[in-house]
Amino acid sequence: MLIPIVGADSLALITYPMTEEEKYYREKVWPRVLASIAQWVQEFPQQERDRARKDFLLAEIEKVREAFIQGCAELALRKDDLTYWSEKRLASLEKRMYKLGMDVKIVTGRLESISPEMIARARRYPIDTLVTVRHGKALCPFHNDKHPSMDVRKNFYYCYSCNASGDVIDLAMHVRGITFKEAVNQLQ
Ligand SMILES: [Zn+2]
């Protein structure tokens, strides 16, 4: 077995024989583990795994959403010197939410036989065709909004009043009362 050893002044390769324990793991234990993983994969078809993954992603989105709400509250309380960091944190949570939103849609798309390309195209469909956006703000269709409290950025919305958030596909589903599949097909 070759093990790279980083010395004080040079990189040297030394060899040493496999121990009995290593041999046992490589030859007996590891193949058994691989076989049981393969069997597990066979027992749970792709659809089952996709559903489990979707549940996991939705739970993650909920966590990020809660952190975002908390971050907004903190931002409102904080003094000027900390505002920069709060905003940075919110921006990174927003990024993560966007990424999770894409992942959950790819999985949903797979369950509904929609390609990731179609989803990506739908996600780029201008959001202002669904709501009127002025200076990055819109009236929130998720609650009875009198003054625009929905933030619209990069084709993504977030309501500071009712905490609704999502992308243009989510918005189309709500505004038009349609399914995920219908929304992706309409936003092409
Ligand atoms: Zn709202």
Side-chain angles (χ1 to χ4, degrees), residues 113-129:
S113 321
I114 301 170
S115 72
E117 291 74 27
M118 270 186 89
I119 297 166
R121 202 157 43 237
R123 275 192 129 198
R124 288 193 298 267
Y125 200 89
I127 202 165
D128 56 11
T129 54

Side-chain angles (χ1 to χ4, degrees), residues 12-185:
L13 287 174
I14 60 157
T15 58
Y16 72 95
M18 215 190 277
T19 64
E20 277 306 306
E21 201 183 22
E22 274 179 321
K23 220 173 149 185
Y24 174 75
Y25 272 94
R26 268 165 192 268
E27 287 167 11
K28 304 269 189 255
V29 179
W30 198 225
R32 223 159 50 213
V33 171
L34 286 179
S36 64
I37 290 173
Q39 198 192 343
W40 183 85
V41 167
Q42 223 172 28
E43 279 169 19
F44 292 92
Q46 186 67 42
Q47 228 179 34
E48 293 278 322
R49 275 178 280 149
D50 281 346
R51 281 203 189 97
R53 172 113 186 109
K54 191 177 168 178
D55 287 345
F56 169 79
L57 289 169
L58 288 174
E60 281 298 297
I61 287 174
E62 216 37 62
K63 274 188 229 163
V64 175
R65 199 202 304 273
E66 272 166 30
F68 193 86
I69 293 164
Q70 207 190 335
C72 287
E74 280 169 17
L75 187 64
L77 291 175
R78 271 179 179 173
K79 293 174 198 142
D80 287 348
D81 56 337
L82 284 168
T83 299
Y84 172 75
W85 298 107
S86 301
E87 278 174 354
K88 249 188 129 159
R89 187 164 163 263
L90 288 179
S92 90
L93 286 170
E94 194 180 282
K95 232 187 211 166
R96 172 129 178 84
M97 194 117 91
Y98 200 80
K99 164 106 184 38
L100 286 167
M102 187 63 198
D103 286 352
V104 83
K105 280 176 178 64
I106 288 175
V107 174
T108 308
R110 212 152 55 206
L111 290 164
E112 306 252 5
S113 321
I114 301 170
S115 72
E117 291 74 27
M118 270 186 89
I119 297 166
R121 202 157 43 237
R123 275 192 129 198
R124 288 193 298 267
Y125 200 89
I127 202 165
D128 56 11
T129 54
L130 296 167
V131 282
T132 308
V133 184
R134 265 191 205 117
H135 307 296
K137 293 265 179 197
L139 278 174
C140 174
F142 293 87
H143 79 277
N144 187 17
D145 206 6
K146 299 272 195 296
H147 305 285
S149 42
M150 200 165 84
D151 208 50
V152 183
R153 266 186 283 183
K154 298 174 200 154
N155 243 23
F156 190 78
Y157 64 88
Y158 184 83
C159 175
Y160 286 95
S161 238
C162 72
N163 302 317
S165 70
D167 61 14
V168 61
I169 300 172
D170 299 312
L171 193 62
M173 285 167 71
H174 181 81
V175 171
R176 297 182 180 169
I178 52 178
T179 64
F180 173 77
K181 198 171 185 168
E182 288 166 336
V184 172
N185 280 312

